[in-house]
Amino acid sequence: MFAKVFSGGLLGIDGFLVEVEIDLTRSGLPAFSLVGLAEGAVRESKERIFSALKNNGFKLPPARITINLAPANQRKEGSLFDLPLSIGLLVAAGLLPKSSFLERTLLAGELSLNGELRPIAGALPLALLAKNKGLKYVVLPRDNGPEAAVVKGVEVFALENLAQVVSLLEGKELTPFQVDVDSLFQEQTSFLEDFSEVKGQEHVKRAIEIAAAGGHNLLLVGPPGSGKTMLAKRIPTILPPLTFSEALEVTKIYSVSGQLPPQVSLLTQRPFRAPHHTISDAGLIGGGHYPRPGEVSLAHRGVLFLDELPEFKKHVLEVLRQPLEDGEVTIARASMSLRYPASFMLVAAMNPCPCGYLGDEKHHCSCTPLQIQRYRSRLSGPLLDRIDLQVEVPAVEYKKLRQEQSEFSSKKMLKRVLTAREIQQKRYQEASLPFLTNSELNGRWLNKFCPLGEREHAFLEQAVKNLGLSARAFTRILRLGRTIADLEGKENLDVPILAEAISYRFLDRT
């Protein structure tokens, strides 16, 4: 007999429909053949499937079994095909009836030897795939129910074992898994950190507020103990909450990479990733034999914090150029080319010199000019040009340490950031542009939304000559100026705004 069931594979962070075709012929010698570019874990499913069927009381007749995973030219990997293969075998053997329910259902799940359903990676993209392909039902392991159920338009059955799946297909009524998406966003996010706890560094907090308001990249330069890491860890407290579409993007990435926390339906907080400086380029940007998202993609719509920036390998840092410019990562292999979203806010920290005390009045710097040059040369000019704000973080004076609380609290800063973001959103929606923040402005749109008068042009011309700014740095200054103007509620960029924007190019001035 012949049977066909629907499942799905993963390509990047999106799913593609897989038709599982089973032909069971009782003539000839018994054999098992699996075709359709099945990788190792899929080929190993034979042993899991037969053991699970046997331990649940199903006995397949001796037969020649041929299974095709279509489309045959697309590679399939992972253990998610265990469930559709086992159900297809039962239908082809006549142990389960063919039904209209099965024709409108996407099946995915890993089987244990006793028939228990184990969670899989990528349940959310598979549920979105089922909706886009017009399927009505999705059958998944119990632990994958919360993430798949956020997709409206399909009924998700999150089951515990093979026996429950068989009962469902035989007509037993089961309750679909339900998730209240609205309540997920209504829950108040409580952060343990707050900017009010940081003593002093008011000018740095101002720079961080500008960076958060416009989605700009930020580099903090200062001696050890000046509070660079402390400041960076509090940036998520002043970022706007994720929208539903942004939360779906972030959750898909974590679902595919297998890093979605158990029983979590949707990630509603912006990610904050802080990889160690020993990370490889594949770990940072993504890749591997079977490509997986890297840290830049896991930080999508959030913050990527790189502490001790010059300690990262130079070739690792250079791969940041594409995602910083394009907001996505392209991983090319001989057999495929994948794109992962990587629109993040880069926050980096570094010492001004190898010993860390260059310019510190209380500590003597023991570094030679050559050592300082070598240290800073680890960061290429093109990479630094892509960082909008380069801010000096000096050591905090004792009298400021005695202050009980700073006037810069996360609550006040978030309010100003949200106001600036609303201005940007309204501006770009009215112009029918896909931009979300000022950091994405480019080309003719930069000239349109950052108009300058003769006085401002003369001021910038003098600054470019004196500081030797590149064309990309000039663009960054205009973007920063646009964000500062939005924070202050101004329509046009004036000289004081441009002067403040230039003051955040610390490494250019030195």
Side-chain angles (χ1 to χ4, degrees):
M1 292 180 62
F2 173 81
K4 182 172 73 173
V5 297
F6 294 106
S7 187
L10 297 174
L11 186 63
I13 64 168
D14 297 312
F16 63 92
L17 192 65
V18 175
E19 297 181 6
V20 182
E21 302 171 332
I22 298 99
D23 180 64
L24 190 147
T25 304
R26 301 194 182 188
S27 60
L29 295 175
F32 183 91
S33 178
L34 179 61
V35 297
L37 277 185
E39 296 294 330
V42 185
R43 293 189 172 277
E44 291 175 354
S45 63
K46 171 187 173 183
E47 307 302 331
R48 294 192 296 271
I49 291 169
F50 285 138
S51 295
L53 292 176
K54 180 195 68 175
N55 291 325
N56 279 267
F58 296 104
K59 185 177 181 180
L60 294 177
R64 182 178 182 87
I65 300 171
T66 303
I67 299 177
N68 179 42
L69 303 178
N73 62 344
Q74 181 66 58
R75 188 181 69 190
K76 292 88 182 175
E77 60 180 69
S79 56
L80 59 90
F81 295 103
D82 289 4
L83 181 60
L85 286 173
S86 60
I87 296 300
L89 284 171
L90 291 177
V91 174
L95 301 178
L96 266 180
K98 294 183 179 180
S99 64
S100 59
F101 180 89
L102 193 59
E103 294 174 355
R104 295 178 292 168
T105 303
L106 186 144
L107 301 162
E110 177 184 335
L111 285 173
S112 66
L113 297 184
N114 64 351
E116 298 293 323
L117 284 174
R118 291 175 173 167
I120 59 172
L124 177 57
L126 293 179
L128 290 169
L129 168 70
K131 177 183 178 180
N132 295 335
K133 294 297 182 180
L135 300 177
K136 190 176 180 180
Y137 308 104
V138 177
V139 178
L140 294 165
R142 166 67 67 178
D143 292 342
N144 292 122
E147 59 176 300
V150 301
V151 180
K152 302 304 179 184
V154 294
E155 294 185 15
V156 176
F157 293 93
L159 307 179
E160 296 181 356
N161 50 53
L162 180 61
Q164 287 187 349
V165 178
V166 171
S167 298
L168 176 67
L169 297 178
E170 287 177 338
K172 183 179 179 179
E173 292 188 4
L174 297 177
T175 304
F177 201 99
Q178 300 290 334
V179 170
D180 186 359
V181 177
D182 295 333
S183 65
L184 298 177
F185 288 92
Q186 291 173 358
E187 296 176 2
Q188 295 295 325
T189 303
S190 57
F191 292 98
L192 298 177
E193 300 89 2
D194 194 284
F195 273 104
S196 61
E197 302 165 348
V198 182
K199 307 297 178 62
Q201 309 294 16
E202 262 62 24
H203 74 288
V204 184
K205 296 175 190 175
R206 165 67 172 173
I208 289 175
E209 185 179 297
I210 294 170
H216 302 285
N217 302 319
L218 172 68
L219 174 62
L220 303 175
V221 184
S226 59
K228 302 186 295 294
T229 303
M230 187 178 185
L231 287 161
K233 287 183 177 180
R234 283 157 176 74
I235 291 178
T237 66
I238 63 171
L239 292 178
L242 288 171
T243 64
F244 178 69
S245 60
E246 290 176 334
L248 272 181
E249 292 177 7
V250 175
T251 308
K252 281 172 64 177
I253 297 171
Y254 278 76
S255 176
V256 167
S257 61
Q259 298 194 36
L260 191 66
Q263 301 304 315
V264 171
S265 300
L266 204 63
L267 294 176
T268 57
Q269 296 182 15
R270 294 190 181 272
F272 181 88
R273 306 291 298 185
H276 193 259
H277 63 260
T278 57
I279 192 171
S280 66
D281 51 354
L284 183 65
I285 211 75
H289 183 63
Y290 298 121
R292 288 288 183 268
E295 289 291 332
V296 296
S297 296
L298 294 171
H300 182 60
R301 302 299 181 193
V303 175
L304 176 67
F305 177 51
L306 302 182
D307 200 4
E308 303 296 342
L309 186 64
E311 300 300 328
F312 286 78
K313 298 181 181 68
K314 190 168 185 177
H315 72 275
V316 173
L317 292 179
E318 291 307 306
V319 298
L320 285 173
R321 292 191 193 182
Q322 184 202 5
L324 287 176
E325 201 70 28
D326 302 333
E328 64 178 13
V329 171
T330 302
I331 300 175
R333 294 292 183 267
S335 58
M336 70 177 73
S337 180
L338 298 179
R339 292 181 183 271
Y340 290 116
S343 179
F344 57 89
M345 177 180 167
L346 174 64
V347 179
M350 63 176 284
N351 296 329
C353 65
C355 77
Y357 295 111
L358 178 66
D360 193 331
E361 298 178 355
K362 298 180 181 180
H363 296 86
H364 172 67
C365 175
S366 59
C367 304
T368 65
L370 182 60
Q371 288 175 324
I372 297 173
Q373 180 185 5
R374 287 177 178 172
Y375 180 73
R376 293 190 177 181
S377 66
R378 298 177 189 176
L379 308 178
S380 67
L383 178 62
L384 289 176
D385 278 347
R386 287 170 169 83
I387 299 178
D388 300 349
L389 293 94
Q390 306 161 359
V391 185
E392 186 178 13
V393 187
V396 184
E397 299 177 359
Y398 181 76
K399 64 179 182 180
K400 293 184 178 179
L401 291 175
R402 293 184 58 185
Q403 295 177 359
E404 292 185 2
Q405 197 171 19
S406 169
E407 63 178 10
F408 275 87
S409 68
S410 293
K411 185 177 181 180
K412 293 179 181 178
M413 294 171 70
L414 176 60
K415 184 178 180 180
R416 291 191 290 265
V417 168
L418 290 176
T419 301
R421 290 278 183 123
E422 288 174 2
I423 293 173
Q424 296 169 58
Q425 184 178 8
K426 181 180 179 181
R427 177 193 300 132
Y428 302 133
Q429 281 184 348
E430 289 177 352
S432 300
L433 294 174
F435 304 146
L436 297 175
T437 59
N438 290 330
S439 62
E440 301 174 62
L441 278 177
N442 56 45
R444 67 181 187 275
W445 305 113
L446 193 67
N447 297 326
K448 178 180 180 180
F449 296 115
C450 304
L452 300 177
E454 290 299 325
R455 186 164 174 261
E456 287 74 25
H457 274 299
F459 176 78
L460 275 182
E461 181 181 5
Q462 191 66 27
V464 169
K465 287 181 180 179
N466 293 340
L467 298 177
L469 301 177
S470 67
R472 187 178 282 113
F474 172 77
T475 299
R476 304 290 172 178
I477 290 171
L478 289 183
R479 292 177 180 174
L480 278 179
R482 181 67 271 166
T483 301
I484 295 171
D486 290 340
L487 281 169
E488 297 182 359
K490 294 183 178 179
E491 184 65 28
N492 297 319
L493 280 63
D494 54 26
V495 170
I497 287 176
L498 295 174
E500 183 179 1
I502 292 173
S503 71
Y504 296 127
R505 303 292 300 180
F506 167 69
L507 294 179
D508 292 333
R509 300 197 311 274
T510 56

